[in-house]
Amino acid sequence: MDEEQRARRWFVALWTIVTVVKVAIAARLPLFVDEAFYWQEGQHLAAAYSDLPGLTAWLTRLGVELGGHHVLAVRAPFLLIAAVLPWLVARSAAHWFGAVVGWQAALLTVLMPLSGTLGLLALPDVPMALATVLCADAGARMLRGVDAMSATELALGLILGALSHYRFIGVIGVGLIALLWLPQGRGVLRDARVWVALAAGLLAWAPLLAWNLEYADAGLRFQLLDRHPWRFHGDGARFLLVQAALATPLLFWAMLVVSVRGIRGEGGGEGGTGPEWRYFALLGAVSTFGFFLLGFFADNERVSFHWTLPGYLALLPVVPLLLREWPRKRRLATWGLAVAGTVLMLGYYVAVSVPGLRLQAAGSKYYPENFAGWDRLAMEVEQARARMPEGTGLLADSFKTGAELGFALADARIPVLDHPLNRKHGRAPQLQLWGLQHDGRVSAPTLLVVGATDVKFSALLAHYQQLCSVVGPLPPPQAVNIDHGARRFLLFALPAARHSGACIPPAVAHIDVPQAGARVSRRFSVGGWAVKDGVGVTQVEVLLDGRVVATATDFTDNTWLQQFLKGGSRDPRMPRVQFEVQVDASGLPPGRHWLGLRLTGGDGSVETWAEQPVVLR
């Protein structure tokens, strides 16, 4: 009893701390791009959507209806589900392996970073995790005998999963494999009540199937074909390292050991002698190893590290049985690494939610651009519209900009141009259904908002050229550089009638020397290039912390740039677009400073380019 009370006290204490911290972070953390789009879907209620079944959008709508228009309200239903999840794991594990194991399994659910941070973001993985735990528990109960309670729990889990994500089909498949693997499981599948539960779960897919039938299988094609290369690539080799980091190394090793024992049919550890421990182990093993193999052929461009979570949630009820076999020092190290991992993950979200801390990552590949700058952009957009005629419309270049601006301005109907990102993320069909896919022809003054950092740099000029063909000649843009341009937007004040004449797109530039983050002496060279189609760049001012420290008006040849820029440049000065100047920073203190450019075009337009950090010695 003392061990049980101790385990329960540890769980309740850490669950309370983590839950409170998550709520505090969720109240400050800007919406992730996908969250903003799910909010937008929730403002257009439907049975299903192009990218997902309906549940995620319904939950965001429920949150804002009850809690008001706030990021915490959007995330509140997901935080609540995530808070309940460890208690369900405790209930399931305790039923089969005793109360101590139950509380320990629940504590592992809180401390494993992948599950411990669940609910911070309003994502479909949260209700899908709940559905997974319900189905896994129901399956284990059925191994000892099917009854109305277990069949109802299975049906509920299957319904929630079907309404959460296409990926839940994989969870169903893994569950069926685990049941067919075990003699007791094959007996379960002979019971009519199980098939009634399966039928209820199947009916829950009806809205999604109906949507796909009506719209030429657009959602299915995206999830199963368009987003996956389905050819071998080496990125799957990173699976073990990434998962070891997200589950913490010793806990990940423990889950692998349990998985292998489950496949081999070996003992599950002290107290793990019944079919239930092997059922949980098989669920986790088939899921984890399946995603490992899938990683060599499936989508390697978008985030997919969280796909393994359902398998881990099945393994956690069994892991404490294995930990009992380990030496005390290794057990303590396992718990300690789990705590450290969760602290680091929560610390990352804290850093992202605090502008001053987020700024420290500007100019590096770790900058969290999908979380950054939306409030600042909304403020700049409102100020720009105030300077334009009354009734000026708003037009976004992609679903990302449209959804995030929509939430910031409480407007779920911002029209969006056709953009590669809309198709890449499966959102284009939904935008068309809402009537928000815009052809670029405007009949009233319109402010066009373009995310310059949403396009691969080598394709940026081609993207501007494409904008010219869609909306016509572009006026000089207002640049909104967030966190020194790590996140960059351009605002174009489009007139009511399309102007005639050539379109002059924004300038594109790059600092070749010094590289971002480089340590430089007080006198150093700055070299790079700058192009502007149609008119060229006549002057490049080098800025250090916003002050002009050098000016370039003479340019030399750059012979490789035309091959680098997709579509090529129509700058009349090509190839004489390379510049180099000497900077004297002797009056500045040592440490980190920001190096930038101000570009003057041949038409007199002036644009401030993004900045990059340099360290003065």
Side-chain angles (χ1 to χ4, degrees), residues 239-547:
F239 176 89
L240 295 177
L241 292 176
V242 172
Q243 295 301 315
L246 292 171
T248 66
L250 288 176
L251 180 54
F252 181 61
W253 176 251
M255 289 190 289
L256 288 182
V257 171
V258 169
S259 298
V260 171
R261 287 188 180 185
I263 293 173
R264 292 178 176 176
E266 299 173 356
E270 182 185 346
T273 56
E276 296 81 14
W277 81 264
R278 194 176 180 207
Y279 166 74
F280 285 118
L282 286 171
L283 287 177
V286 175
S287 175
T288 303
F289 294 138
F291 278 120
F292 173 56
L293 295 175
L294 188 65
F296 288 100
F297 301 92
D299 184 359
N300 64 337
E301 294 186 10
R302 301 163 189 80
V303 173
S304 57
F305 59 76
H306 57 289
W307 289 3
T308 52
L309 180 59
Y312 295 165
L313 290 174
L315 290 168
L316 289 179
V318 189
V319 166
L321 298 174
L322 175 68
L323 295 184
R324 293 180 177 184
E325 300 179 3
W326 286 9
R328 185 172 182 273
K329 288 185 178 180
R330 195 192 302 179
R331 290 200 305 271
L332 291 175
T334 302
W335 290 106
L337 284 174
V339 171
T342 298
V343 169
L344 286 174
M345 284 287 286
L346 292 173
Y348 166 78
Y349 285 112
V350 169
V352 171
S353 67
V354 177
L357 295 176
R358 189 178 63 229
L359 177 61
Q360 299 304 310
S364 76
K365 63 180 180 180
Y366 302 107
Y367 179 74
E369 67 172 37
N370 280 325
F371 288 102
W374 300 111
D375 289 342
R376 161 85 183 283
L377 175 63
M379 180 184 69
E380 297 282 356
V381 164
E382 289 289 76
Q383 292 175 354
R385 291 176 77 185
R387 296 190 293 268
M388 296 177 69
E390 187 175 352
T392 292
L394 190 58
L395 178 61
D397 68 328
S398 73
F399 88 92
K400 293 173 68 172
T401 305
E404 289 281 9
L405 260 184
F407 182 79
L409 301 175
D411 181 1
R413 295 203 57 82
I414 296 176
V416 172
L417 293 176
D418 185 24
H419 194 287
L421 286 175
N422 301 346
R423 298 184 295 276
K424 179 179 178 180
H425 292 270
R427 272 66 192 260
Q430 195 61 59
L431 293 167
Q432 293 170 356
L433 285 177
W434 291 336
L436 298 182
Q437 183 89 21
H438 200 283
D439 62 6
R441 291 177 292 186
V442 300
S443 57
T446 301
L447 184 66
L448 170 62
V449 184
V450 174
T453 45
D454 288 335
V455 179
K456 188 177 179 181
F457 182 64
S458 61
L460 184 57
L461 183 56
H463 180 61
Y464 292 154
Q465 294 167 351
Q466 174 65 17
L467 278 177
C468 285
S469 67
V470 172
V471 303
L474 295 169
Q478 173 192 342
V480 180
N481 290 327
I482 295 163
D483 291 338
H484 298 285
R487 192 83 172 97
R488 193 164 188 265
F489 297 92
L490 299 178
L491 310 184
F492 298 92
L494 303 179
R498 180 180 295 204
H499 288 167
S500 59
C503 179
I504 301 174
V508 177
H510 188 261
I511 297 175
D512 299 329
V513 179
Q515 294 184 350
R519 298 180 65 86
V520 297
S521 61
R522 298 310 179 86
R523 290 180 173 82
F524 61 96
S525 296
V526 175
W529 52 265
V531 299
K532 189 173 177 70
D533 279 10
V535 296
V537 175
T538 59
Q539 178 178 276
V540 176
E541 295 173 289
V542 177
L543 311 177
L544 200 58
D545 297 336
R547 294 173 52 250

